[in-house]
């Protein structure tokens, strides 16, 4: 923030279903120990399917791993394609936007 002291707020892509986010509101200050800035959470109340509807309707580019069955991306050690999207013997997966049950979004995380 030293490079950009004029920035007072940042847009986040956090949803209430994200880890450690159930307490967040549309406008929230940063946590203690972080530079003081206002976090704006415009999609905090959106569901998993609403995010995908938005991205696909407006043709917003996204990471190609989502087309390979990943529904939540961490790092190479804790992320795999979501088993709920498995087709056949487990070597092929449907795209993330086809996940019906948003509660299973993080089923590919270890």
């Amino acid at each position: 923030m030293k490079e950009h002291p004029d920035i007072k707020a940042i847009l986040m892509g956090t949803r209430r279903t994200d880890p450690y986010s159930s307490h967040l509101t549309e406008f929230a200050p940063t946590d203690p120990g972080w530079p003081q800035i206002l976090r704006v959470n415009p999609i905090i109340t959106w569901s998993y399917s609403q995010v995908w509807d938005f991205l696909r309707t407006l043709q917003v580019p996204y990471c190609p791993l989502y087309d390979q069955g990943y529904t939540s991306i961490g790092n190479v050690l804790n992320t795999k394609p979501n088993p709920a999207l498995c087709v056949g013997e487990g070597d092929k997966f449907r795209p993330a936007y086809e996940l019906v049950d948003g509660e299973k979004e993080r089923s590919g995380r270890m």
Side-chain angles (χ1 to χ4, degrees):
M1 296 310 308
K2 291 178 185 176
E3 300 86 23
H4 303 283
D6 52 328
I7 295 177
K8 305 297 181 211
I10 54 173
L11 291 175
M12 306 293 289
T14 306
R15 292 179 294 125
R16 282 216 180 90
T17 57
D18 291 338
Y20 315 107
S21 301
S22 61
H23 67 286
L24 295 178
T25 60
E26 285 82 359
F27 300 94
T30 51
D31 296 328
W34 288 86
Q36 289 303 297
I37 197 163
L38 181 65
R39 292 182 295 195
V40 180
N41 299 301
I43 67 169
I44 195 74
T45 61
W46 288 18
S47 68
Y48 179 83
S49 62
Q50 287 173 312
V51 171
W52 278 108
D53 288 345
F54 177 85
L55 294 174
R56 296 188 73 224
T57 299
L58 295 179
Q59 300 179 345
V60 177
Y62 56 83
C63 177
L65 288 174
Y66 290 111
D67 288 332
Q68 299 171 30
Y70 291 82
T71 54
S72 178
I73 300 172
N75 64 51
V76 297
L77 300 176
N78 72 357
T79 307
K80 62 181 182 176
N82 192 317
L85 294 170
C86 184
V87 176
E89 298 297 318
D91 58 342
K92 185 164 172 55
F93 295 83
R94 295 188 323 271
Y97 55 81
E98 290 187 13
L99 183 67
V100 176
D101 184 356
E103 295 290 319
K104 295 182 178 178
E105 176 182 359
R106 288 181 175 74
S107 294
R109 297 291 284 274
M110 299 178 266

